[in-house]
Amino acid sequence: MNKVLYKNKKREIPLIIKNTLDLDIRLTKVFTECIEDLKPMRKLKAYYKILEVSCHGIIWLALSLAFIWILNSKSLYQVQINLITALLLDIIIIAILKALTGRKRPAHNNDPFSIGPDKYAFPSGHASRSMLIFYFFAYIWPVSAIFLTILLIWVFAIVMSRILMRRHHILDVCAGLLVGYAEGMLMNILYLNDETCLNLVSWLINEKIAGAEYDV
């Protein structure tokens, strides 16, 4: 009886969405098989894991926090704190979207870190994070064209590797890119001012920064 009730409670996916997801699965399968038939791409397979790690949210957060202490530059506090804020925003938004959609990852996925909301596929967190980082350094804190070109290549490589590693379907990474771009636009609005960032850094390192005033 309980099993019957459970089955009845399972949400029904609208036919148009179901057909779209089925088509996405088929296209992803055809795409990956075609790419893997190319000999140059087989040699790049060894770098997929490196790309995966290079865009991991925890690693980006840890490094961003570490560089506050390592560089210890007052002129960089604003960009560092805003980047950390953007990364946290991305993690929260992607976790919520994944929990709401609940789309399963490809059958061949063997990611040991797929736990909690991250066990779901839609949208791709790596795709959203890479696009968010690109947007951040393209529009919020602009860097040189050379560095920006390298970032763009990195974003493309991340997206391709997510599909070829069977971590995501094509629709997952496309949605992830759109979410990341939207998060970048949102960060343009939420961008923290210099004084706020100085206060946050002071709280993080628990000491007074020379030249700044704080309430006691």
Side-chain angles (χ1 to χ4, degrees):
M1 182 68 177
N2 290 334
K3 289 183 178 180
V4 174
L5 289 173
Y6 176 76
K7 287 181 179 179
N8 291 333
K9 287 181 180 179
K10 287 180 71 176
R11 62 180 179 181
E12 294 183 6
I13 302 175
L15 185 61
I16 187 170
I17 295 179
K18 186 179 184 304
N19 289 338
T20 301
L21 295 178
D22 289 342
L23 177 61
D24 181 38
I25 291 172
R26 291 196 298 271
L27 289 176
T28 301
K29 185 175 183 297
V30 172
F31 176 77
T32 52
E33 288 175 353
C34 289
I35 294 296
E36 288 177 341
D37 282 340
L38 303 174
K39 287 185 179 180
M41 294 305 297
R42 293 176 192 170
K43 295 179 181 179
L44 295 175
K45 209 168 184 178
Y47 300 101
Y48 292 166
K49 192 64 182 179
I50 296 174
L51 285 167
E52 182 176 51
V53 172
S54 74
C55 194
H56 199 286
I58 300 301
I59 291 176
W60 270 87
L61 272 176
L63 288 176
S64 298
L65 286 167
F67 275 115
I68 291 177
W69 279 271
I70 294 169
L71 298 178
N72 194 26
S73 174
K74 188 177 175 182
S75 63
L76 293 176
Y77 287 155
Q78 188 174 20
V79 64
Q80 289 171 322
I81 291 297
N82 276 286
L83 180 58
I84 290 171
T85 303
L87 292 170
L88 288 172
L89 182 70
D90 174 69
I91 290 173
I92 294 169
I93 290 175
I94 292 297
I96 292 172
L97 290 176
K98 284 187 174 185
L100 289 174
T101 56
R103 187 187 191 187
K104 293 181 180 179
R105 289 182 182 265
H108 296 288
N109 174 60
N110 59 355
D111 185 3
F113 298 104
S114 295
I115 56 175
D118 203 41
K119 67 183 178 183
Y120 300 120
F122 186 92
S124 166
H126 276 70
S128 70
R129 193 171 305 112
S130 62
M131 176 55 75
L132 173 61
I133 292 167
F134 174 79
Y135 186 102
F136 189 93
F137 290 109
Y139 302 108
I140 299 177
W141 199 67
V143 294
S144 67
I146 295 175
F147 185 68
L148 209 55
T149 301
I150 295 172
L151 268 181
L152 190 58
I153 295 171
W154 176 69
V155 172
F156 176 76
I158 289 291
V159 168
M160 289 294 292
S161 68
R162 300 311 288 166
I163 299 172
L164 297 174
M165 288 181 78
R166 272 73 170 183
R167 298 287 196 248
H168 293 281
H169 304 96
I170 293 173
L171 190 58
D172 301 333
V173 296
C174 289
L177 291 173
L178 289 174
V179 171
Y181 196 88
E183 290 170 345
M185 295 175 68
L186 181 59
M187 274 307 301
N188 252 330
I189 300 171
L190 300 177
Y191 198 74
L192 302 174
N193 60 39
D194 191 50
E195 184 181 354
T196 301
C197 293
L198 283 170
N199 283 322
L200 286 171
V201 172
S202 177
W203 174 74
L204 283 171
I205 62 178
N206 196 28
E207 67 179 37
K208 199 169 186 178
I209 299 174
E213 294 181 357
Y214 305 96
D215 294 329
V216 179

